[in-house]
């Protein structure tokens, strides 16, 4: 059958391409996307703020890697027609349990190295789908992927953390930092959680943590371990402030994406015996843990619901352009696309 794919061909220009979907001779699951969510990576492609050589290599490409949908057909027999599922954007060609699909160099990723989920239908391997429980709303299921990324970040911290974990600091006051803080609060309920940011209005959303403006850090404050979720040009200052405030033998997880090289105070990394870990994307296990956290922990569900700023229906390409423009001008929270293309 015919399938419409909505691809970005150049910054701010999306076109519809008609392809075909073979239902009878393909063992992948056919899913109809229902709700999608935009992330900062999608914004950078749409606005053309990535390097021109990268855009030339990636485009044309369908955007968006945060999505949920319903099963239309499944010749593999894993799902029933009508099942609600969350789509895993990471597409690994092999499995390495020690490294993880998200770090394998030959893995592909929706809306980065292959088409994202702005399609009428998506054909996808059954292992890249997660059942959505009845008590998880579609709007929140749309950004389970972001929650899974936060789970991966906290799991990376857990892999190297010492027994000294009285305090954990998170640098950043945007969406990713907020979700990471929500997850960290559940993983470390007995630790004092601090969130460091530069926008007091955003820090106001972190009511469950101690919030500190980076320009006004209390004298003598130190933390045991830290997560950097700033990214961009601000990541250099954030990382070095972490190095300054962290206790010896602390672990630092770097999760903010930046296009530029950053300078790090390696002298104090060495003197304090610090561990720096990178974290990117997520695995199926992270998705499963993310869903479990949302449906089993009422506090997590309520805190994440605060992020949903608006839900807009997509019926034409102009609707897509308008929601991307609005999302880029929105300081905090999530705009959800109800996908009716």
């Amino acid at each position: 059958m015919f399938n419409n794919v909505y691809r970005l061909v150049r910054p701010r220009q999306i076109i519809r391409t008609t392809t075909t979907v073979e239902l009878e001779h393909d063992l992948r699951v056919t899913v109809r996307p229902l709700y999608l969510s935009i992330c900062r990576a999608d914004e950078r492609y749409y606005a053309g703020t990535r390097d021109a050589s990268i855009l030339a290599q990636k485009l044309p490409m369908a955007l968006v890697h945060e999505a949920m949908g319903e099963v239309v057909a499944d010749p593999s027999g894993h799902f029933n027609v009508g099942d609600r599922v969350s789509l895993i954007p990471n597409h690994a060609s092999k499995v390495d349990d020690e490294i993880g699909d998200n770090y394998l160099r030959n893995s592909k990723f929706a809306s980065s190295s292959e088409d994202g989920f702005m399609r009428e239908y998506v054909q996808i391997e059954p292992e890249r789908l997660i059942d959505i429980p009845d008590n998880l709303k579609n709007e929140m299921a749309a950004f389970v992927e972001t929650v899974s990324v936060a789970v991966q970040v906290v799991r990376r911290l857990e892999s190297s953390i010492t027994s000294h974990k009285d305090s954990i600091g998170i640098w950043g006051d945007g969406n990713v930092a907020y979700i990471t803080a929500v997850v960290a609060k559940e993983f470390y309920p007995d630790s004092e959680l601090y969130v460091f940011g530069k926008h007091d209005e955003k820090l106001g959303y972190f009511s469950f943590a101690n919030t500190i403006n980076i320009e006004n850090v209390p004298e003598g404050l130190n933390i045991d371990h830290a997560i950097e979720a700033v990214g961009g040009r601000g990541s250099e200052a954030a990382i070095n402030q972490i190095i300054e405030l962290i206790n010896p033998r602390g672990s630092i997880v770097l999760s903010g994406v930046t296009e530029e090289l950053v300078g790090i105070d390696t002298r104090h990394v060495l003197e304090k015996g610090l561990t720096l870990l990178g974290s990117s994307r997520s695995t199926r296990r992270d998705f499963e843990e993310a869903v479990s956290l949302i449906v089993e922990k009422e506090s997590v569900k309520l805190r994440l619901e605060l992020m949903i700023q608006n839900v807009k229906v997509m019926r034409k390409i102009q609707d897509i352009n308008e929601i991307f423009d609005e999302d880029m001008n929105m300081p905090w929270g999530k705009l959800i696309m109800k996908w009716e293309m």
Side-chain angles (χ1 to χ4, degrees):
M1 64 181 178
F2 292 115
N3 184 25
N4 291 316
V5 181
Y6 298 86
R7 292 186 174 121
L8 184 74
V9 294
R10 58 181 57 87
R12 299 182 183 274
Q13 184 176 352
I14 295 171
I15 66 167
R16 183 183 67 186
T17 302
T18 301
T19 62
T20 58
V21 172
E22 296 290 340
L23 296 179
E24 298 179 0
H25 307 292
D26 197 316
L27 291 181
R28 293 177 295 175
V29 183
T30 302
V31 176
R32 172 81 167 105
L34 296 180
Y35 288 80
L36 296 84
S37 176
I38 302 169
C39 90
R40 293 291 181 250
D42 296 315
E43 290 178 357
R44 288 193 290 271
Y45 283 119
Y46 177 80
T49 56
R50 296 292 306 272
D51 186 90
S53 62
I54 294 176
L55 291 174
Q57 177 186 355
K58 304 275 189 179
L59 304 184
M61 178 177 67
L63 299 179
V64 177
H65 58 265
E66 302 175 18
M68 64 78 58
E70 66 177 0
V71 173
V72 174
D74 181 15
S76 73
H78 288 81
F79 298 92
N80 296 316
V81 173
D83 281 355
R84 296 186 310 141
V85 290
S86 180
L87 289 77
I88 299 176
N90 203 61
H91 187 186
S93 59
K94 66 177 184 178
V95 176
D96 189 317
D97 293 334
E98 189 172 3
I99 295 177
D101 297 348
N102 51 324
Y103 300 118
L104 292 175
R105 303 307 298 167
N106 60 355
S107 290
K108 293 186 177 181
F109 194 82
S111 78
S112 178
S113 48
E114 63 182 24
D115 274 334
F117 298 135
M118 288 203 328
R119 306 181 234 173
E120 187 177 5
Y121 299 101
V122 175
Q123 287 194 297
I124 188 168
E125 295 74 16
E127 60 270 18
R128 293 174 61 200
L129 296 173
I130 301 291
D131 275 309
I132 296 175
D134 292 339
N135 58 343
L136 179 52
K137 294 180 180 179
N138 290 339
E139 294 84 350
M140 191 175 297
F143 62 95
V144 162
E145 192 273 342
T146 314
V147 185
S148 76
V149 170
V151 171
Q152 170 72 195
V153 168
V154 178
R155 284 179 55 213
R156 291 287 287 152
L157 181 63
E158 182 68 15
S159 70
S160 71
I161 202 168
T162 67
S163 60
H164 301 283
K165 48 187 175 183
D166 293 332
S167 57
I168 293 173
I170 296 176
W171 267 253
D173 50 27
N175 292 346
V176 174
Y178 179 83
I179 296 175
T180 303
V182 170
V183 172
K185 184 72 173 179
E186 298 302 320
F187 272 72
Y188 300 105
D190 298 325
S191 301
E192 200 70 29
L193 182 63
Y194 294 89
V195 175
F196 297 77
K198 62 186 294 186
H199 306 97
D200 290 333
E201 65 277 14
K202 292 183 182 180
L203 288 172
Y205 289 104
F206 296 80
S207 58
F208 52 91
N210 303 293
T211 56
I212 296 174
N213 190 296
I214 56 173
E215 302 294 341
N216 217 358
V217 177
E219 187 175 351
L221 176 66
N222 294 103
I223 47 134
D224 292 322
H225 306 283
I227 295 169
E228 176 272 319
V230 175
R233 295 177 180 176
S235 62
E236 180 173 313
I239 294 168
N240 286 310
Q241 189 174 56
I242 292 171
I243 293 170
E244 177 187 352
L245 297 180
I246 198 167
N247 287 323
R249 294 300 307 277
S251 292
I252 306 169
V253 178
L254 309 178
S255 66
V257 178
T258 177
E259 300 293 324
E260 303 169 358
L261 297 177
V262 299
I264 295 177
D265 178 8
T266 56
R267 172 178 291 277
H268 286 96
V269 171
L270 304 182
E271 287 182 0
K272 291 186 176 183
L274 304 179
T275 300
L276 275 62
L277 304 100
S279 183
S280 179
R281 299 171 177 168
S282 58
T283 66
R284 179 182 178 88
R285 175 187 167 187
D286 299 320
F287 267 80
E288 292 169 342
E289 288 194 41
V291 170
S292 295
L293 278 174
I294 297 171
V295 300
E296 294 175 8
K297 301 286 187 178
E298 185 69 10
S299 58
V300 171
K301 182 172 76 70
L302 293 175
R303 287 164 183 162
L304 294 180
E305 280 180 345
L306 289 175
M307 299 196 68
I308 302 174
Q309 300 293 301
N310 204 350
V311 180
K312 296 200 168 186
V313 178
M314 301 291 104
R315 293 197 176 103
K316 54 185 182 296
I317 289 177
Q318 182 181 347
D319 296 334
I320 302 174
N321 290 328
E322 289 176 357
I323 198 170
F324 265 91
D325 289 334
E326 182 177 346
D327 193 75
M328 288 189 295
N329 290 312
M330 189 173 68
W332 190 88
K334 285 281 194 179
L335 287 178
I336 306 299
M337 294 188 280
K338 189 174 187 294
W339 192 247
E340 296 185 3
M341 301 289 287

